[in-house]
């Protein structure tokens, strides 16, 4: 199937912003339920262009979680605004609605919840605070393909959201690619122009449009058709892959529940509306996290630290004047969270081996920890 889509690209002779991108946009619109999908060249660009299209201006503030990938906050800067950090929930890592209310100022115009790892943020709580304070909601839903809240796909609960197709994502390309998803026709129109040097109107698969008058100071953020071809082929098995990820995540949880030293296991938290989670990564919290990661690496098990430094303590945001202790939940997550291997082709025996190595690490230590009450089974 992938070869078929790639051959279409070669036969068409247009390798960027062509008809395969249009085909992918339509397929993603059908999958997510979004009225508009605009393919771009990365999830980060999608965030920047979405914020610009929503009217973010110089001096405008956007509340973002202190625990997230750097692009959540740097995209605000690149779009001309100022990030304002809020703490996250102690479980689930979504932005804390109470913290949003506490940090917002008269200059705050947006709140941007991030949907991390395996389920969405508390969108009911976020919307309630946003409505009370007169803030617009945009979503960093880069990791959230397939996730739903109240039956609606992540990214469609405000002005819009984004998707990242970085190769490790649940739906990954062979390189960088991303998309903006929105139900707002004006936002879609502006993003579409911004991605192609500010040229309005239909430009995808329309080579003469390169000479259309430039209406906005845009950028070159067109999606490559080869990436669109790969994503189209993989989209057909996305739900199968999501089910497989859920099976593997449940296996991890069953084997790690009650293990001393395992502080917290991922679960889909109860919300005001139904949540459909997706196990993009399996992130748990561990005592002596860095030593455990070294132990696993020495035995050929790769892991990833999410995230070693919270956003408010990143060097690029030092001028905002934050100090350790400002956002304790985010800092605690940074000290203990570790992602274990999770991908659809992972074998059950490999999951069992990883869990055995974790048990061996803590059994050989002098921690003598008892499993905390938080280590209950996943609600997937």
């Amino acid at each position: 199937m992938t070869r078929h889509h790639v051959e279409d690209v070669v036969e068409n002779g247009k390798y960027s912003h062509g008809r395969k991108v249009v085909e992918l946009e339509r397929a993603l619109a059908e999958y997510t339920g979004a009225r508009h999908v605009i393919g771009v060249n990365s999830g980060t660009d999608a965030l920047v262009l979405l914020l610009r299209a929503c009217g973010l201006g110089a001096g405008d503030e956007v509340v973002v979680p202190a625990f997230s990938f750097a692009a959540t906050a740097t995209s605000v800067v690149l779009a001309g605004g100022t990030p304002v950090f809020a703490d996250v929930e102690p479980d689930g890592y979504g932005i804390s609605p109470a913290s949003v209310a506490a940090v917002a100022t008269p200059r705050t115009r947006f709140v941007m919840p991030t949907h991390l790892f395996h389920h969405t943020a508390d969108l009911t709580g976020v919307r309630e605070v946003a409505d009370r304070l007169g803030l617009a909601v945009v979503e960093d839903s880069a990791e959230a393909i397939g996730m739903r809240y109240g039956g609606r796909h992540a990214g469609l609960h405000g002005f819009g959201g984004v998707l990242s197709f970085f190769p490790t994502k649940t739906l990954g390309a062979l390189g960088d690619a991303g998309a903006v998803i929105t139900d707002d026709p004006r936002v879609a129109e502006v993003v579409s122009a911004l991605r192609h040097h500010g040229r309005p109107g239909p430009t995808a698969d329309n080579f003469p449009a390169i000479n259309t008058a430039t209406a906005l100071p845009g950028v070159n953020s067109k999606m490559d058709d080869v990436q669109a071809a790969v994503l189209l082929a993989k989209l057909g098995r996305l739900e199968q892959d999501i089910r497989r990820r859920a099976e593997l995540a449940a296996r991890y949880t069953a084997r790690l529940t009650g293990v001393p030293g395992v502080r917290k296991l991922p679960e889909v938290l109860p919300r005001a509306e139904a949540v459909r989670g997706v196990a993009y990564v399996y992130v748990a919290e561990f005592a002596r996290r860095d030593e455990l990661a070294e132990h696993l690496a020495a035995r050929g098990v790769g892991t990833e630290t999410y995230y070693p430094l919270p956003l408010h303590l990143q060097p690029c945001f030092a001028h905002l004047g934050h100090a350790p202790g400002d956002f304790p939940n985010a800092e605690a997550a940074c000290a203990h969270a570790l992602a274990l291997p999770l991908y659809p082709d992972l074998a059950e025996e490999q999951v069992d081996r990883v869990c055995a190595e974790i048990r061996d690490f803590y059994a050989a230590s002098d921690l003598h920890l008892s499993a905390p009450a938080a280590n209950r089974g996943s609600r997937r």
Side-chain angles (χ1 to χ4, degrees):
M1 181 63 75
T2 302
R3 181 175 180 178
H4 162 73
H5 285 296
V6 172
E7 286 175 346
D8 278 356
V9 174
V10 175
E11 290 173 3
N12 190 40
K14 195 171 192 309
Y15 298 95
S16 176
H17 203 55
R19 68 186 183 194
K20 199 56 70 172
V21 172
V22 175
E23 187 178 344
L24 174 66
E25 291 172 339
R26 290 171 179 163
L28 288 169
E30 181 177 356
Y31 178 80
T32 63
R35 293 179 182 174
H36 307 280
V37 176
I38 306 97
V40 296
N41 71 8
S42 71
T44 301
D45 267 15
L47 280 172
V48 175
L49 300 186
L50 174 62
L51 287 166
R52 287 186 60 187
C54 289
L56 182 69
D60 293 339
E61 294 177 346
V62 182
V63 180
V64 299
F67 182 69
S68 185
F69 183 59
T72 301
T74 57
S75 64
V76 174
V77 177
L78 293 170
T82 300
V84 173
F85 297 111
D87 210 351
V88 295
E89 301 170 302
D91 297 310
Y93 310 118
I95 196 169
S96 162
S99 186
V100 172
V103 302
T105 79
R107 296 181 299 278
T108 305
R109 287 195 57 201
F110 296 90
V111 56
M112 187 160 70
T114 302
H115 309 310
L116 288 180
F117 306 147
H118 62 284
H119 71 117
T120 66
D122 178 7
L123 286 166
T124 297
V126 169
R127 288 194 304 248
E128 288 174 351
V129 171
D131 289 345
R132 187 168 75 247
L133 299 179
L135 308 179
V137 176
V138 294
E139 297 170 67
D140 181 354
S141 47
E143 297 182 359
I145 192 162
M147 297 185 192
R148 295 180 181 271
Y149 187 92
R152 289 180 62 78
H153 198 280
L156 299 176
H157 297 266
F159 272 101
V162 304
L163 298 172
S164 171
F165 305 118
F166 185 75
T168 62
K169 293 294 190 287
T170 307
L171 178 63
L174 293 182
D176 283 314
V180 171
I181 61 174
T182 182
D183 287 336
D184 189 307
R186 175 58 181 166
V187 170
E189 180 183 17
V190 176
V191 171
S192 295
L194 289 173
R195 69 172 169 177
H196 195 231
H197 299 286
R199 294 180 170 92
T203 55
D205 199 31
N206 183 12
F207 188 77
I210 197 169
N211 294 317
T212 302
T214 300
L216 299 167
V219 297
N220 179 10
S221 187
K222 304 186 299 295
M223 181 186 285
D224 289 341
D225 277 55
V226 171
Q227 302 302 344
V230 172
L231 291 168
L232 275 166
K234 297 177 72 174
L235 183 60
R237 57 170 291 167
L238 176 60
E239 286 298 310
Q240 175 184 334
D241 287 348
I242 287 174
R243 288 191 296 272
R244 177 60 176 167
R245 286 172 176 273
E247 292 169 358
L248 294 168
R251 193 175 186 93
Y252 269 123
T253 294
R255 282 152 180 75
L256 293 177
T257 295
V259 174
V262 180
R263 296 167 51 92
K264 190 182 299 181
L265 296 172
E267 57 180 327
V268 176
L269 301 177
R271 300 293 194 195
E273 299 186 50
V275 176
R276 195 252 185 149
V278 172
Y280 159 53
V281 290
Y282 190 89
V283 172
E285 293 191 19
F286 300 93
R288 295 173 61 180
R289 187 266 316 276
D290 295 339
E291 293 176 57
L292 173 62
E294 292 177 2
H295 170 88
L296 293 173
R299 287 153 181 79
V301 177
T303 60
E304 184 72 29
T305 300
Y306 288 91
Y307 297 96
L309 194 64
L311 292 182
H312 64 288
L313 300 180
Q314 292 285 353
C316 64
F317 298 119
H319 63 286
L320 297 179
H322 288 292
D326 283 356
F327 302 109
N329 293 336
E331 292 170 35
C334 287
H336 300 290
L338 187 71
L340 304 179
L342 184 72
Y343 47 90
D345 293 333
L346 190 68
E348 287 89 349
E349 294 78 9
Q350 292 174 304
V351 171
D352 296 346
R353 179 179 165 235
V354 174
C355 294
E357 293 289 356
I358 292 171
R359 289 193 297 269
D360 289 348
F361 172 78
Y362 288 116
S365 73
D366 57 0
L367 289 175
H368 302 298
L369 297 175
S370 61
N375 276 359
R376 52 191 181 273
S378 171
R379 291 193 180 97
R380 281 186 186 85

